[in-house]
Amino acid sequence: MLASGFVLDFLKGPTLALQDFCLLTGRAMRNVTRQPHYSDDIKLQMDSIGVGSIPIVLLTGFFSGAVMALQMGRALQQYGQTGRTGTVVSIILVRELGPVLTSLMVAGRNASGIASELGSMKVTEQIDAMRALGTDPIQKLVTPRMIATGVMLPCLTVIDDFVGMVGGWIIGKLLYDLDALQYWSQTWHALVWSDVAQGLLKPFVYSFVISLIGCFYGLRASGGTQGVGRATTQAMVAASVTILILNLFMGLIFVKYSGT
Amino acid sequence: MAATNLLEFDKVSVEFEAGVRVLNEVSFAVPEGQTRIIMGAAGSGKTVLLKTAMGLNRACGGSVRLLGEDITHKPENQLFEIRARVGMLFQDSALFDSMTVAQNVAYPLLNQKSIQIPRDKMEDKVRESLRFVELEQAITKYPSELSGGMRRRAAIARAVVTGPPLLLYDSPTAGLDPITAHTIMALIIKERDMDNTTALVVTHRYQDGNLVANFRYNPDNGTLDPASEKATNTVFMVLREGRLVFEGTQTELEACSDEYVGKFVKKPEMAA
């Protein structure tokens, strides 16, 4: 009896947090179709989240594609199949590494950024002031960030995929003397529509994870600057772990229903 | 004819943790044109009372009527329109730190659905509000560039820019030097007398209440002139551990024999 009571008490906190997260998600989604729409805030966030993340996405994409070509080329060399490097780089980047690495980079940069920004507003009563001034903080702060991340993360993933392929090509050319035409025709022909769908759907789903988790922890921040720091760390860790878990399940769904 | 009550608390209780009440069955009504001075020690529930009046905190018992509407169980999205008709000054001003003073003051005009002001008239309205608090020169500054008193004045400008009939001031003079505190209280009196607003002023300084109860703004020379307690329509309330332990005029407050209530009163013989 005592143990079950302890377990129930232990589960109360996480269950309440999950309930609050679901309510926040529901309200943020509902606001997409509701007036007023804060288009200026959406544009501002698209610039901050999307354009601001381009440098890290370029670096991540290039070096992950390059290192993949380096290791795959070496492995394929044993079977005399170095020419297939483009195929392997293309499939792995578009299906898995592109969406996951881009999302993790954006989560590290923006989930924490959103949490710290909203957390600071929360502890200095700016969120209460917003409510008192007749504005819904979810409509003004959460929905624009959710829309902006939903639009920009798939775009960033496409950039990451392409730059990764360029990185793979440079390594293939320098180390394995791959022909450019052969490499690019293989990367192109290796991809089927379900790969492209998977590569775009995954970041779209992860965009909600990043923006909503960042906003959730920010809006729950309490206890001054220390609380804001804690919210920032929790948001980044929770968003990254959720992305990795979701990635496995989404991968399983695609393998089961599309065979890729 | 009796004046309409703009705010009514009927046995309102607020709990943040189960069994721990920060407000305990508080009842009072604020008629139109009245100014209420709410005093009490730190943690007595003054700020919670103001936030409950706005629906920012939810009552766990009793009912709250704001501007004639029962807001006790109203969903958050139905409260925004009601809150838009109430101005609030937060304890630490709560200015949006990523916006300039002008953007802060323009915020209610731009974001409240019920406010329909043409864009070209917006700047005039913002300037007018900042002129009222004598802060027009700081229009392009950010809150971080302002002193504590200037931040408080900018927050007052933001609270009054839409001309709300009810104003809630949470510790407007907290942390300010006596001269700046006097300036802020003079602004509150000026707002009351120029626009005939109803107000709740949370403070722990008796002299703030004394100023509101005994002075009126003279628009001819811009000074505060002595006035009778009746003319200023001021009522004092004292909170203790979430309970309302005193409600009455300044004369009644000064005559009150309760030891706790007496601690907030600077009696004439003590002042001398």
Side-chain angles (χ1 to χ4, degrees):
Chain A
M1 278 301 279
L2 195 69
S4 64
F6 175 76
V7 171
L8 281 175
D9 279 348
F10 179 74
L11 288 175
K12 267 183 198 166
T15 310
L16 186 67
L18 183 66
Q19 177 189 298
D20 289 346
F21 180 74
C22 292
L23 284 172
L24 177 77
T25 305
R27 288 175 64 185
M29 298 274 185
R30 200 177 52 189
N31 285 341
V32 173
T33 56
R34 280 189 174 182
Q35 291 284 353
H37 296 297
Y38 297 102
S39 51
D40 287 348
D41 292 284
I42 296 173
K43 285 178 207 156
L44 193 75
Q45 291 304 322
M46 282 169 78
D47 180 50
S48 162
I49 296 167
V51 180
S53 299
I54 287 177
I56 55 162
V57 166
L58 289 177
L59 285 170
T60 314
F62 181 84
F63 287 104
S64 59
V67 83
M68 208 185 326
L70 177 72
Q71 297 300 342
M72 283 299 154
R74 215 175 102 192
L76 290 168
Q77 211 169 26
Q78 294 172 20
Y79 306 100
Q81 293 290 326
T82 324
R84 310 288 288 180
T85 305
T87 308
V88 177
V89 168
S90 159
I91 288 174
I92 296 180
L93 266 180
V94 173
R95 281 189 202 164
E96 294 295 341
L97 276 191
V100 172
L101 285 180
T102 309
S103 302
L104 287 177
M105 287 298 127
V106 174
R109 183 176 178 273
N110 294 301
S112 52
I114 291 170
S116 67
E117 189 182 349
L118 268 56
S120 302
M121 290 181 78
K122 176 82 191 318
V123 299
T124 54
E125 289 189 311
Q126 290 177 55
I127 302 283
D128 275 345
M130 207 171 257
R131 292 170 67 206
L133 290 165
T135 319
D136 180 357
I138 296 179
Q139 189 141 24
K140 174 82 177 160
L141 300 171
V142 181
T143 305
R145 282 165 176 76
M146 188 182 77
I147 295 172
T149 319
V151 172
M152 297 314 285
L153 194 57
C155 298
L156 288 170
T157 305
V158 171
I159 295 171
D160 180 277
D161 291 347
F162 177 70
V163 175
M165 288 173 196
V166 171
W169 172 61
I170 291 171
I171 289 294
K173 179 77 185 161
L174 293 177
L175 296 186
Y176 307 114
D177 200 25
L178 290 182
D179 177 58
L181 187 64
Q182 184 193 14
Y183 177 88
W184 285 108
S185 73
Q186 279 196 356
T187 53
W188 178 255
H189 287 113
L191 297 173
V192 291
W193 281 112
S194 69
D195 295 328
V196 179
Q198 188 174 171
L200 291 176
L201 187 66
K202 278 182 175 177
F204 184 67
V205 172
Y206 303 156
S207 71
F208 292 97
V209 172
I210 294 167
S211 55
L212 291 170
I213 286 183
C215 291
F216 175 70
Y217 279 104
L219 292 174
R220 271 165 62 100
S222 59
T225 47
Q226 202 177 20
V228 176
R230 199 166 42 240
T232 306
T233 312
Q234 284 174 330
M236 201 210 113
V237 172
S240 305
V241 172
T242 311
I243 286 167
L244 290 170
I245 294 169
L246 274 180
N247 190 51
L248 172 65
F249 287 105
M250 287 191 73
L252 285 172
I253 291 168
F254 269 97
V255 167
K256 189 170 169 64
Y257 292 104
S258 71
T260 57
Chain B
M1 201 175 77
T4 322
N5 288 333
L6 294 193
L7 177 68
E8 284 177 58
F9 269 46
D10 184 19
K11 292 185 176 171
V12 173
S13 297
V14 176
E15 276 184 11
F16 291 138
E17 283 175 54
V20 184
R21 289 194 166 182
V22 281
L23 277 190
N24 200 344
E25 299 199 344
V26 174
S27 300
F28 66 91
V30 187
E32 203 172 348
Q34 190 179 79
T35 303
R36 288 226 160 202
I37 307 295
I38 305 168
M39 296 196 294
S44 59
K46 305 185 295 294
T47 299
V48 175
L49 186 144
L50 282 198
K51 287 190 174 181
T52 309
M54 283 287 267
L56 298 174
N57 288 336
R58 293 292 183 162
C60 66
S63 69
V64 181
R65 289 184 74 81
L66 179 63
L67 303 176
E69 294 194 54
D70 189 341
I71 63 160
T72 324
H73 303 294
K74 263 198 195 303
E76 179 83 4
N77 59 352
Q78 288 179 26
L79 286 173
F80 295 124
E81 283 304 298
I82 305 170
R83 286 181 191 143
R85 288 181 279 144
V86 182
M88 184 161 180
L89 173 73
F90 284 83
Q91 199 164 359
D92 294 318
S93 307
L95 291 169
F96 302 122
D97 49 19
S98 56
M99 295 181 190
T100 61
V101 168
Q103 288 167 332
N104 264 287
V105 177
Y107 187 89
L109 303 172
L110 286 167
N111 291 284
Q112 289 175 3
K113 284 184 204 167
S114 52
I115 310 285
Q116 303 288 337
I117 290 180
R119 288 257 171 178
D120 56 326
K121 296 271 186 295
M122 197 80 74
E123 195 183 331
D124 293 343
K125 192 84 183 152
V126 169
R127 282 189 180 278
E128 184 190 323
S129 193
L130 284 170
R131 210 174 296 132
F132 178 81
V133 295
E134 296 161 22
L135 206 65
E136 205 182 351
Q137 75 285 1
I139 195 161
T140 55
K141 288 191 187 300
Y142 282 89
S144 57
E145 298 171 279
L146 304 178
S147 68
M150 288 166 92
R151 272 204 289 271
R152 220 58 68 88
R153 277 149 66 192
I156 291 176
R158 185 178 67 177
V160 303
V161 71
T162 56
L166 176 65
L167 282 156
L168 312 177
Y169 299 98
D170 189 1
S171 306
T173 57
L176 299 179
D177 62 86
I179 297 166
T180 314
H182 184 276
T183 310
I184 298 295
M185 288 316 295
L187 280 174
I188 291 172
I189 294 168
K190 183 179 168 186
E191 167 60 23
R192 177 194 68 189
D193 297 338
M194 298 281 281
D195 296 330
N196 294 317
T197 49
T198 308
L200 266 77
V201 184
V202 160
T203 183
H204 56 267
R205 285 165 30 110
Y206 180 66
Q207 56 266 49
D208 291 347
N210 186 45
L211 209 59
V212 172
N214 297 295
F215 288 86
R216 285 188 72 82
Y217 179 73
N218 184 343
D220 297 330
N221 53 16
T223 56
L224 296 181
D225 293 347
S228 72
E229 197 181 315
K230 202 172 176 183
T232 59
N233 193 5
T234 307
V235 170
F236 287 76
M237 281 167 49
V238 180
L239 287 174
R240 181 182 192 177
E241 292 171 5
R243 284 186 182 276
L244 183 58
V245 292
F246 175 84
E247 184 181 10
T249 61
Q250 188 181 17
T251 315
E252 288 165 342
L253 179 73
E254 286 178 355
C256 184
S257 57
D258 186 278
E259 195 187 339
Y260 176 81
V261 174
K263 283 179 184 169
F264 294 96
V265 183
K266 201 176 185 180
K267 293 192 173 75
E269 64 269 23
M270 286 169 74

